[in-house]
């Protein structure tokens, strides 16, 4: 396998994400949310340093009953969730309080990525843009390499 086949795709610059967020955030908060709310939710939290309320759109996946999984290579919002504060999620037009659990240890991330690929299939794992194969279940070394490129958060929804 060549290096280019196993390399993670390049992500757009942060400026592109910020520009897209200016469109996505109001769309998810509107009645037109159905256009993208099947895979993108709004995460609202209080900044740990600034104390400001922050709302960002992030991709998510249904996980276990009452939980959703999110991941990011952009680490800007992850540090704010490390202490497990209650956050607010807007999923499919509904508001939920949730408690996040941040996974930053690469072994735990690799295990979650393996479970993700088992549950959703190799094509879904490839779509995460972490360099995982789309034609078969990822090998342990591929999962370890992918775990270096992301952080995972499991949000447990309040009842």
């Amino acid at each position: 396998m060549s290096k280019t086949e196993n390399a993670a795709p390049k992500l757009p610059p942060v400026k592109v994400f910020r520009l897209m967020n200016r469109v996505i955030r109001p769309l998810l908060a509107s009645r037109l949310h159905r256009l993208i709310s099947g895979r993108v939710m709004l995460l609202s939290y209080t900044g740990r340093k600034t104390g400001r309320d922050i709302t960002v759109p992030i991709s998510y996946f249904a996980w276990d009953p009452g939980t959703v999984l999110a991941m990011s290579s952009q680490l800007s919002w992850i540090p704010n969730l490390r202490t497990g504060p209650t956050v607010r999620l807007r999923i499919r037009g509904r508001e939920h309080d949730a408690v996040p659990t941040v996974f930053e240890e690469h072994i735990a991330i690799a295990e979650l990525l393996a479970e993700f690929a088992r549950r959703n299939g190799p094509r879904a794992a490839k779509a995460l843009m972490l360099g995982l194969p789309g034609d078969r279940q990822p090998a342990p070394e591929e999962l370890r390499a992918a775990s270096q490129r992301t952080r995972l958060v499991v949000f447990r929804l309040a009842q």
Side-chain angles (χ1 to χ4, degrees):
M1 183 178 302
S2 73
K3 288 182 183 178
T4 55
E5 288 176 11
N6 196 27
K10 296 287 183 198
L11 294 174
V14 172
K15 289 181 181 180
V16 173
F17 282 116
R18 287 186 181 145
L19 181 63
M20 289 178 2
N21 287 350
R22 288 186 183 154
V23 174
I24 292 171
R25 212 177 3 249
L27 181 61
L28 284 170
S30 77
R31 285 186 267 152
L32 297 174
H33 68 84
R34 286 180 183 89
L35 296 172
I36 59 172
S37 66
R39 287 281 184 208
V40 182
M41 67 180 176
L42 287 177
L43 164 64
S44 298
Y45 60 90
T46 302
R48 72 187 191 292
K49 290 183 180 178
T50 64
R52 291 185 334 188
D53 290 333
I54 300 168
T55 300
V56 294
I58 58 172
S59 295
Y60 75 95
F61 304 91
W63 198 239
D64 292 325
T67 63
V68 294
L69 175 70
M71 57 191 68
S72 180
S73 58
Q74 304 293 323
L75 299 180
S76 58
W77 55 271
I78 298 280
N80 291 285
L81 308 184
R82 285 182 179 135
T83 59
T86 299
V87 298
R88 195 95 178 126
L89 304 178
R90 185 174 181 89
I91 303 172
R92 297 181 183 228
R94 295 199 159 159
E95 297 284 334
H96 303 272
D97 287 329
V99 176
T101 301
V102 178
F103 291 85
E104 296 185 273
E105 195 171 295
H106 298 300
I107 293 169
I109 294 170
E111 289 172 358
L112 276 168
L113 289 173
E115 181 63 21
F116 180 90
R118 278 192 292 279
R119 290 184 187 192
N120 299 295
R123 288 205 308 199
K126 181 182 175 85
L128 298 175
M129 297 175 48
L130 297 173
L132 295 173
D135 58 344
R136 60 181 167 72
Q137 291 296 323
E141 61 274 4
E142 292 168 321
L143 292 164
R144 280 192 297 275
S147 74
Q148 303 289 322
R149 299 181 186 112
T150 192
R151 301 295 173 266
L152 297 174
V153 180
V154 174
F155 293 95
R156 192 161 315 284
L157 306 179
Q159 302 300 354

